[in-house]
Amino acid sequence: MTWTPTGRHLIAGEWVEGATTFASDPARGAPARYAVGTAAEVDRAVKAAEEAFWSYGYSSRENRAAFLEAIADAMEARAAAITAIGSAETGLPEARLDGERGRTTGQLRLFASHIRDGAYLDRRHDAALPDRKPAPRPDLKLVQRPIGPVGVFGASNFPLAFSTAGGDTASALAAGCPVVVKGHSGHPGTGEIVAEAILEAIEKTGQHPGVFSLVQSNSREAGQSLVAHPLIKAVGFTGSLGGGRALFDIACSRPEPIPFFGELGSVNPVFVLPEAAQARAAEIAKAWAASLTLGVGQFCTNPGVLVIADGAPAERFEEEASAALGATGPATMLTTGIAEAFGRGAAKMAAGNAVRTVTRGVCELRSVAPALFATDGDTFLANPDLGEEVFGPLGMIVRARDAVQMLEIAKGLHGQLTVTLQMDEGDTDLARRMMPVLERKAGRLLANGFPTGVEVVDSMMHGGPYPASTFASATSVGTLAIRRFLRPVSFQNMPEALLPEDLR
C-alpha cells in the first residue's frame, strides 16, 4: 500500500488545512509539511468531542468494543504503510515498528474484551432497609461512569503504542470518553495515517465524528490550549519532565482543575546485591548494557543508574559493561532535538566533579553512541542531579561503600517507574530490608531481570511516585488504565428506567 500524507488535521470527521505549516524532520527521505494547530482548531475539536459525549458516553459497551476492534482492523489493513512512514520519520527499525503496531492493536482488542467483561464497572448495590431503626436505609447502587472529553499527547518514543491510537486513547475510548490527540511533531505522518484508520472505524461503526480528532502542531499553543480548555476533563501525557510539569501546572491552575496523568521521567535504578555481584558480575553487566542500549536507550524504562558495592566484583562489572557498550555502534535517535539533548546531557555528566567517564558517548547530528560514567555512593548522594534522566543510552554506575549505603541510596531516590534487584539466594535478607523502601519509590519492582519490557496485561503498573508520573495511583499500561477516565456515581432510590444500562 502506497500512502502519501496530506499534512492536515482530522477534526470531527473532516480533514482540515492549517493557516501555517511546519516541516517534518524525518530520519530518511524528504521532509513533508503539516498544519500547525492553534487554539482555534483545538476549540473546534474539543467542542465536537463534547457533542459526541452525549451519545458515545452513554453508548453500550458492545458498541464501544466493536469500535475499538474496528480501529485495530483498520490499522492492520494499513500495516505496511504505517511501518514505512513510521520508520522513515523516527529511524526505528521496521521490525520494531511491526512489533509496536501489534502491541497497539493488541491493546485496542484487550480493552474491547475488558469492557465486554464488565468487571471494571465495580458495580455495587446496597438494598433498601425500610424497617431499619432508628432510620430506614435507602436503596443505593454505584457504577463507574465516563468523565467526558479527554486530551491525549503523542509520545516521541512510541509513535504507535503511546501516541494517536495508543494506550491513553484506547483506554479513554473504552471508558466512553471522546479523545482529542495533540500529535507529536516527530512523527506527524504516522499520526495522520493512524487517524485515517480511526476515521474509517468511526464511519464503519456509526460513531459521532467528534469522538476522535487529531490536531497536528510543532508549537506549544495547541498543547497548552488543549489542557486549558474548559470542556476537557482529563489529560494523558508521556514526555519530558519540563514539558509535562508545565502542562500539569496548567491543569491544576484552571478554574476547574482536572487530573493530568503525566509520565515524566525515570532512571529506573538497578541494585546488584553482593552475592549476585560476586557470582554473576560479568553476566549482569552484559545484560544491563543490552537493556541500556535497546532502542538507542529511548525507553521510559531504560535502566540508567546501577548501584553495586565497591570491590572486585564492581571492577569486573565496570570492565564488562564498558566493553559491551564500546562494541555498540552509533545509532539514529528519534529526532534531532532528542539527539542534541543527549549530547548536552552526556557533556554535562562528563564535566561533573568526582564522576569518571568510562565510555564517552558520541553525538553527531542525529546519530549517538552509548556513554558510561561511574561515581561513588557519597558523590551520588551529595549530587541529586546525577540521578536525573538523560534520555538515551547513558548509564551511571554508582559504587556504594557497602550494603548499608546501598539502602541509603535507595531511600534517597526520587520516584521511579521501576526498580530492579539483581540478587541470589544469599541476598534475600538484604533484599527483604530494602523492599519496604523500594515499594515507596516505584510502581513496578523486578527481581533478576531488566525493566525495558512492559507487558500489556491486567496486572501491569506503569507509573510511580513523582517525578516518574504526576499521579502515583494510575497506570498508563494495562487494563487498570481505564480507571483514569472513569468516576464513581451513586444512584439512590432511582427508578429502574432511569438507571444507566449497566445497572439495570
Side-chain angles (χ1 to χ4, degrees), residues 49-341:
E50 172 70 8
E51 185 61 32
F53 184 65
W54 296 115
S55 56
Y56 188 74
Y58 300 88
S59 64
S60 69
R61 287 181 280 127
E62 179 57 39
N63 171 71
R64 300 197 302 275
F67 178 38
L68 294 171
E69 290 170 338
I71 296 173
D73 291 343
M75 286 185 65
E76 291 296 358
R78 293 162 173 77
I82 289 173
T83 294
I85 191 165
S87 182
E89 287 187 319
T90 64
L92 293 171
E94 291 192 355
R96 152 73 194 272
L97 268 297
D98 285 341
E100 189 182 333
R101 189 189 65 257
R103 171 176 167 169
T104 307
T105 57
Q107 286 177 155
L108 290 160
R109 293 189 171 106
L110 175 64
F111 276 109
S113 175
H114 187 61
I115 60 176
R116 281 192 177 106
D117 174 75
Y120 79 98
L121 293 166
D122 193 18
R123 287 173 281 205
R124 304 178 183 208
H125 181 204
D126 290 288
L129 298 175
D131 299 325
R132 190 184 67 175
K133 304 298 182 183
R137 185 177 77 185
D139 183 87
L140 286 164
K141 295 184 176 74
L142 179 144
V143 69
Q144 299 287 337
R145 301 296 290 154
I147 59 174
V150 169
V152 170
F153 284 72
S156 64
N157 57 338
F158 282 87
L160 299 174
F162 277 88
S163 290
T164 311
D168 288 344
T169 297
S171 54
L173 291 175
C177 299
V179 171
V180 177
V181 171
K182 188 274 181 189
H184 196 283
S185 59
H187 42 76
T190 310
E192 183 182 324
I193 192 171
V194 174
E196 180 185 276
I198 297 174
L199 178 58
E200 178 182 306
I202 288 172
E203 294 170 345
K204 178 180 179 181
T205 59
Q207 309 301 330
H208 187 292
V211 75
F212 174 86
S213 292
L214 169 69
V215 178
Q216 304 274 25
S217 184
N218 69 335
S219 72
R220 295 179 180 177
E221 180 183 352
Q224 292 172 344
S225 298
L226 181 60
V227 176
H229 200 289
L231 295 176
I232 288 292
K233 299 304 179 185
V235 173
F237 173 89
T238 300
S240 69
L241 175 59
R245 181 56 199 248
L247 295 172
F248 174 68
D249 290 345
I250 293 173
C252 293
S253 62
R254 291 171 29 142
E256 178 200 357
I258 58 171
F260 181 89
F261 299 106
E263 182 192 311
L264 307 184
S266 178
V267 294
N268 307 292
V270 177
F271 289 84
V272 183
L273 303 191
E275 294 290 332
Q278 184 66 43
R280 302 186 284 117
E283 174 190 337
I284 296 170
K286 292 174 183 176
W288 180 60
S291 181
L292 191 69
T293 55
L294 184 67
V296 204
Q298 298 168 118
F299 286 88
C300 45
T301 51
N302 194 44
V305 170
L306 183 136
V307 183
I308 187 170
D310 203 8
E315 290 288 347
R316 291 198 302 274
F317 183 94
E318 187 174 309
E319 290 172 3
E320 290 290 345
S322 177
L325 292 174
T328 302
T332 302
M333 296 199 84
L334 292 159
T335 70
T336 301
I338 289 173
E340 291 172 346

Side-chain angles (χ1 to χ4, degrees), residues 350-377:
N353 293 329
V355 173
R356 291 185 294 107
T357 300
V358 182
T359 302
R360 180 65 183 268
V362 176
C363 181
E364 296 180 356
L365 299 177
R366 199 162 160 171
S367 182
V368 305
L372 180 61
F373 301 92
T375 191
D376 59 81

